[in-house]
Amino acid sequence: MTDTPALPEGYEISADRARIDAGRVHHWLSTDAYWALGRPRARQDRAIEGSLNFGVYDTVSGEQVAYARIVTDRATFAWLCDVYVDPSARGKGIGTALVAAVREHLRPCGLRRVLLATHDAHGVYEKLGFRALERPDQWMALLLE
């Protein structure tokens, strides 16, 4: 398995949902994330409530600088989604360290697979062990919107 990248000095990762700045996360995703543009705040709040959430925080200011959400039964399957790093904190390895921390947090669950979808960050996720589906023809989606 790949090495676990270190989080840059001055930042910490937490899976404490109470620390998530829901307003900031909603703003990031609904205004700047191609997959969630226009997502209503109430929907984002429900997503946070029903998920395992991770935040990255500046250790001096306490300000949240990144977010990731995992939908999982903690037994067989997980979906990694809504991974976002504030533009002011990009380029420091925060996103890679965040996803690595999520991977390590999920490892003891014995999950069979963790899936994600990305339009533009394949290289980031490949460094952490993610691969393209071997048999995409076996997967289907039900689109309700």
Side-chain angles (χ1 to χ4, degrees), residues 64-127:
Q64 185 172 351
V65 300
Y67 176 72
R69 183 168 71 86
I70 299 84
V71 180
T72 183
D73 60 8
R74 293 183 171 98
T76 62
F77 177 83
W79 175 268
L80 173 61
C81 52
D82 290 346
V83 178
Y84 188 91
V85 178
D86 187 84
S88 68
R90 291 181 186 163
K92 300 177 182 180
I94 290 172
T96 302
L98 173 59
V99 174
V102 168
R103 179 190 66 197
E104 296 311 309
H105 185 92
L106 293 173
R107 191 178 300 283
C109 296
L111 304 174
R112 183 168 180 190
R113 64 180 48 97
V114 177
L115 293 181
L116 65 86
T118 184
H119 176 73
D120 58 355
H122 294 82
V124 171
Y125 295 108
E126 287 170 348
K127 288 189 292 191

Side-chain angles (χ1 to χ4, degrees), residues 26-43:
H26 174 256
H27 176 75
W28 284 337
L29 298 178
S30 68
T31 65
D32 191 42
Y34 66 83
W35 66 89
L37 292 175
R39 182 181 288 168
R41 173 68 190 263
R43 181 175 292 171

